[in-house]
Amino acid sequence: MEIEPARPGARARVRAEVTHELLAIAKQHLGIHGAAALSLRAVARDAGMVSSAVYRYFPSRDDLLTALIVDGFEQVAETTARADASVRRNDLRGRWMAIGRAVQAWAIEHPHEYSLIYGTPIPGYAAPEATIVPVQRAAATMVAILSDGVASGAITSQARALSRAEKAALAPVQTAFPDLPPDTLARGLLAWMSLFGMISFELFGHLHNVVDDKAVFFEHELGRLADLVLGTA
Amino acid sequence: MEIEPARPGARARVRAEVTHELLAIAKQHLGIHGAAALSLRAVARDAGMVSSAVYRYFPSRDDLLTALIVDGFEQVAETTARADASVRRNDLRGRWMAIGRAVQAWAIEHPHEYSLIYGTPIPGYAAPEATIVPVQRAAATMVAILSDGVASGAITSQARALSRAEKAALAPVQTAFPDLPPDTLARGLLAWMSLFGMISFELFGHLHNVVDDKAVFFEHELGRLADLVLGTA
DNA sequence: TGTACATCAGTGAACGCGCGTTCACTGATGTAC
DNA sequence: TGTACATCAGTGAACGCGCGTTCACTGATGTAC
């Protein structure tokens, strides 16, 4: 957010360290009290600074939030990428399952960070362009499965053809991945949204008195979504 | 919340009216500023009361929130029930589509109320038992489709059998609907969660730069979920 | 039917709180000659 | 290598704000005899 890239003398290095420390404290506060209660003053207090000093690092509370949001998406991107990398390339189902489990595990470990990026938007806060790239990276791993599947012939476009209007609706994402058939893209997108629907339901308590062993249930339904992604449903 | 059911003399009637008016104002505030910013004082101000007077009606801010949450679930329940009722009974696909569209339309019209009940939980707020019944009512319409489908034979349990552990995981909801096959129940639940995943993605801005015409896209994917619900995928 | 008392809605002032942000400042660290 | 100046991190006090909640009160509405 604020780290000057000037040649890193001692000052710049310390600055980067302090910025990082403030962010770490903010993340911790986020994890305890949630985003709405995140306060510059409290972060400053925990950092052993006076509240106004934080303004040397973050011009406002919103900038702190932006940094946390970017960090959240980067965590998701990293988590999914690592999970994906641990599976044989042509085991597409295994890759989807690994990614799904990874996102879910991350969400359960970092519920407030998950909520910050996939939950209710913060009132009065508008996400700046700085968040665009991390957001895309977070979903990129999943799209890679589709690309690989189409390239290898493991995924073929399904029966259910899309109308002209439906294809047009997908234009933005289609532009980013011109090689993917619209139907494949749409199925991947639906599965992706479903994954987050499942995670949110579990995390936000909507499975209370509905499902007992959430992990078993999640695994089973994640498998069903794999069928959707791969076109084997 | 607070309406005394004593024989409704003039006093009781006025009390009910004022309670209702406070709730209406609170809903309006919710719609403008979001749940986190909902303040007893602001509601009182708009009601032309002094802030302490509100305490005659709601013992605390959390009770006001509870009332709003209950109201939200009731709205969803009503909306889905009305949508469902408008479709021929044995047109199961039509009923699912109607319910899905209704929930989505309601969410778009009442984004803050949607967020209040399906978004990030409010930190420090624990949902009391008063919310249990309305929550169940909201999902009941969807389950009725499953029941009717199973009863008429239109829905049959699918190939993908559930393991013992998977069946056990579904125990709570299975107890409520003992006549539904586990697989049908699981598919309905997944479709339900997916529906909310789609709505949240759209509402919370995650389809920006991904999908253009959200309505067309939603309709298409809702149809895919119908296949899942009905077992025709 | 009328009076005495109890109930209750709403008032107004006050409590203590924490917040984001600004500003003039001090002193230490870096830079240019 | 040493000195003069500029940069910058952090301080401390203050600003104005709105919040939830409590409390003693006034007056109007209901209830019991």
Side-chain angles (χ1 to χ4, degrees), chain B residues 11 15 18 41 48-50 52-53 56-57:
Chain B
R11 190 123 90 180
R15 182 178 180 78
V18 174
R41 292 188 97 111
M49 288 171 144
V50 98
S52 52
R56 294 273 166 214
Y57 299 90

Side-chain angles (χ1 to χ4, degrees), chain A residues 11 15 18 41 48-50 52-53 56-57:
Chain A
R11 190 122 90 181
R15 181 178 181 79
V18 175
R41 292 186 98 111
M49 288 171 144
V50 99
S52 52
R56 295 273 165 213
Y57 300 89

Side-chain angles (χ1 to χ4, degrees), chain B residues 102-124:
Chain B
V103 176
Q104 194 235 15
W106 177 83
I108 287 176
E109 271 167 44
H110 306 85
H112 286 104
E113 255 153 322
Y114 174 86
S115 301
L116 180 63
I117 61 181
Y118 292 108
T120 311
I122 293 161

Side-chain angles (χ1 to χ4, degrees), chain A residues 32-177:
Chain A
I32 300 172
H33 310 101
L38 188 124
S39 118
L40 264 184
R41 292 186 98 111
V43 170
R45 225 175 287 133
D46 267 28
M49 288 171 144
V50 99
S51 68
S52 52
V54 177
Y55 284 81
R56 295 273 165 213
Y57 300 89
F58 299 94
S60 78
R61 180 178 179 273
D62 275 8
D63 292 271
L64 221 195
L65 272 178
T66 299
L68 287 173
I69 289 172
V70 168
D71 184 86
F73 280 114
E74 277 169 358
Q75 281 186 54
V76 173
E78 229 176 84
T79 301
T80 53
R82 199 170 23 233
D84 180 64
S86 73
V87 179
R88 221 169 11 91
R89 288 301 78 193
N90 61 350
D91 178 8
L92 298 182
R93 165 174 284 268
R95 286 169 68 185
W96 163 262
M97 297 297 286
I99 289 178
R101 287 185 205 115
V103 177
Q104 194 235 16
W106 178 82
I108 287 178
E109 270 167 47
H110 306 84
H112 286 104
E113 255 152 323
Y114 174 86
S115 302
L116 180 63
I117 60 181
Y118 292 108
T120 312
I122 294 161
Y125 172 86
E129 344 72 54
T131 59
I132 295 180
V133 171
V135 168
Q136 289 175 343
R137 285 210 321 151
T141 318
M142 197 274 295
V143 178
I145 298 183
L146 302 179
S147 299
D148 290 357
V150 169
S152 75
I155 296 179
T156 53
S157 205
Q158 286 307 106
R160 209 184 157 76
L162 277 76
S163 73
R164 196 172 323 215
E166 286 158 0
K167 282 179 190 160
L170 287 169
V173 67
Q174 187 75 75
T175 306
F177 305 100

Side-chain angles (χ1 to χ4, degrees), chain B residues 177-198:
Chain B
F177 306 101
D179 292 342
L180 290 179
D183 178 63
T184 301
L185 209 47
R187 276 187 285 125
L189 195 46
L190 177 59
W192 190 244
M193 295 187 295
S194 300
L195 171 62
F196 285 92
M198 286 176 62

